[in-house]
Amino acid sequence: MNFSKASTGFDNCAETSSNYRRIQRFISSVNLQIQWISRLTFALIPAQKSYVLVMDRTNWKFGKQDINILMLGISYKNMCFPILFKMLDKRGNSNTKETKELINTFIDWFGKDCIDCLLADREFVGEDWIGYLNDNRIEYYVRIRNNFKVHLPGKQKEITASHLFNNLKPGQTRQYHKIVSIHNQLCYSSFAPIYFHVFD
């Protein structure tokens, strides 16, 4: 939030600088619960029957301090609104416990019926995590590398994901209609010009 811009929106006769200090005092003295902020953000997004969730993680350094945030957002008109986040006290990837905690919190606060699907990057492809989504019947689209190993139960063999779509021309897309296994979890696979999708 930009306090300077927010201070110009007060409906009073005070100087903008006074409003700015009021905002500072409020933020420094009030413990804003993440649930309040999440519910406010959710309420401000135009109501829909169901929502596309997006999970991602960002990691950078502030001086010597690692900043690692696991984020869950709602996609709306090509924008993503952060709805929940978890600060990770480490560098690198999240684990299944952390990702499940984020989804479980969303379900506790907003319900599972409002989830249309979950979009996630290739970090989120572990066996336990995909199993959790399958068990909870949450539809998902997860990016995987083209050299990712998939098992074909019908043929009892393992191949790289790109071999399922190696006859496609640039710009073409296709869904592989037979079920495959990734990390011992059954799912379907499709190909888009940018990345692969895996979904239940």
Side-chain angles (χ1 to χ4, degrees):
M1 178 185 295
N2 188 313
F3 293 170
S4 296
K5 290 184 178 180
S7 65
T8 63
F10 279 53
D11 186 17
N12 59 25
C13 298
E15 295 288 336
T16 299
S17 58
S18 297
N19 292 332
Y20 181 85
R21 287 191 294 273
R22 289 176 63 188
I23 296 173
Q24 285 182 312
R25 287 194 296 269
F26 174 79
I27 294 298
S28 65
S29 62
V30 175
N31 180 19
L32 291 175
Q33 301 292 325
I34 181 64
Q35 186 174 0
W36 302 347
I37 300 171
S38 296
R39 289 190 179 279
L40 174 61
T41 304
F42 190 86
L44 292 174
I45 298 173
Q48 301 178 83
K49 183 178 179 181
S50 58
Y51 299 87
V52 175
L53 303 185
V54 181
M55 181 172 284
D56 202 1
R57 185 187 58 80
T58 182
N59 191 182
W60 73 93
K61 293 185 77 69
F62 184 74
K64 295 183 178 181
Q65 177 67 44
D66 280 295
I67 309 294
N68 197 0
I69 307 174
L70 179 64
M71 182 74 68
L72 185 69
I74 290 178
S75 176
Y76 179 76
K77 290 189 175 181
N78 297 320
M79 295 181 290
C80 187
F81 294 88
I83 201 77
L84 280 169
F85 69 91
K86 181 177 179 61
M87 302 295 294
L88 306 181
D89 57 354
K90 61 182 180 182
R91 295 179 60 187
N93 291 355
S94 59
N95 58 43
T96 302
K97 180 178 181 293
E98 293 158 344
T99 53
K100 286 169 61 175
E101 182 181 306
L102 219 56
I103 294 293
N104 286 337
T105 300
F106 181 90
I107 291 173
D108 287 344
W109 293 354
F110 306 108
K112 191 174 74 171
D113 291 342
C114 74
I115 301 176
D116 177 74
C117 65
L118 173 71
L119 308 182
D121 209 346
R122 56 193 181 190
E123 172 182 334
F124 306 97
V125 291
E127 178 179 351
D128 291 342
W129 169 241
I130 297 299
Y132 164 83
L133 295 175
N134 284 342
D135 292 343
N136 286 276
R137 303 188 67 80
I138 297 174
E139 187 170 346
Y140 53 93
Y141 297 79
V142 179
R143 181 183 179 187
I144 60 175
R145 299 184 303 274
N146 62 359
N147 63 351
F148 204 88
K149 297 294 183 181
V150 299
H151 182 261
L152 307 181
K155 298 182 179 180
Q156 287 298 304
K157 69 175 184 178
E158 187 176 72
I159 63 173
T160 59
S162 60
H163 287 171
L164 297 174
F165 310 100
N166 57 12
N167 61 343
L168 292 182
K169 297 178 180 178
Q172 289 184 321
T173 63
R174 189 178 75 196
Q175 179 180 339
Y176 186 73
H177 291 282
K178 296 181 180 180
I179 201 162
V180 301
S181 176
I182 293 181
H183 289 327
N184 299 313
Q185 294 294 334
L186 298 178
C187 52
Y188 291 94
S189 182
S190 65
F191 179 80
I194 305 300
Y195 47 76
F196 290 86
H197 295 290
V198 182
F199 56 95
D200 181 21

